[in-house]
Structures are given as structure tokens and as C-alpha cells.
Amino acid sequence: MKVRAGAVVRGTGVALACLAPDASKRSPILLAGFAGGWFLGRPGLQGFTVVPDAEEPWKRTTVPFATSVATWSTVMLAAMTALRKTRLPVPVAAIVLGGGLVVVDSLLADLAEARDARTGGAPGDAR
């Protein structure tokens, strides 16, 4: 498994957001982590990403970015909230959630690259 820089940034953002004692600070930390990670490498799983059929380049760039960052931040915020309500200590929960995200994201990106190599598709096509 090749650990991706974008996955590390996203996982670090999730861990830091999980450690934040104030709930109102968690969402901005998650958004920053996912937005920063997007530019280093798109997530391995992009099932929540919308790609418009528009010809305008700005739409084909900003809409996938905005939908992916917003949905993954929402999913991770929900997971973080659920994990923080367990008896698991918050630092351990942060490591589990952030580290798990890095591993899963990197594995999914590896699988997508292997599929693209096998089918001859361009990287990032139809994830």
C-alpha cells in the first residue's frame, strides 16, 4: 500500500478535529483538512462527488471539489460525533478515526490505480 499525501492531510484533519474540545471548531478543521488534501491527491473513494456535464472548465473543477469536500466532511463529522460518545478516550478515538481514514483512502486509491492500469483508463476516470 502506498500512503498518499492527500490521505495523510485528510487523516490529520480528522484527528485534529476529533481532538478539538469545542464542537463549533470541528467543522472548519475538517473542511480545511479535506480541502487541503484534495489538492495533494483526490480521495480514493469519490462516491459522493458530482461531476457536471457542463462544458465550462470552472464548473468541471469546482463542483466536484465542493461536493466531495462537503460530503466527506459531513460523513466524518457524524463518525467523529458517534465515536466521541463511546467510552473510548478522545485521543484514542482521534488516532483510530484519522489513521483509519489514511489507510482506507490509500487502499482505495491503490485499487483505483490498479483498475485504471488493467482497463487502460485514465487515472481518475469514473471513480
Side-chain angles (χ1 to χ4, degrees):
M1 175 183 77
K2 178 178 163 187
V3 177
R4 315 294 171 139
V8 172
V9 170
R10 285 185 286 278
T12 302
V14 167
L16 290 174
C18 193
L19 290 172
D22 186 13
S24 66
K25 299 215 187 292
R26 292 183 193 135
S27 290
I29 295 170
L30 279 173
L31 287 171
F34 275 95
W38 177 274
F39 294 108
L40 293 174
R42 293 185 178 180
L45 177 63
Q46 296 183 30
F48 301 114
T49 302
V50 176
V51 178
D53 286 335
E55 293 296 322
E56 296 90 356
W58 69 271
K59 281 185 184 177
R60 295 195 57 80
T61 302
T62 57
V63 172
F65 169 76
T67 57
S68 181
V69 169
T71 54
W72 278 108
S73 294
T74 303
V75 168
M76 284 295 115
L77 187 61
M80 181 183 322
T81 302
L83 200 56
R84 285 180 60 98
K85 290 183 180 184
T86 65
R87 291 186 176 188
L88 197 60
V90 173
V92 174
I95 292 170
V96 166
L97 195 58
L101 178 69
V102 170
V103 170
V104 170
D105 192 333
S106 294
L107 282 174
L108 289 171
D110 284 350
L111 289 173
E113 282 183 358
R115 182 201 63 218
D116 290 343
R118 194 174 54 249
T119 62
D125 284 350
R127 280 194 193 185

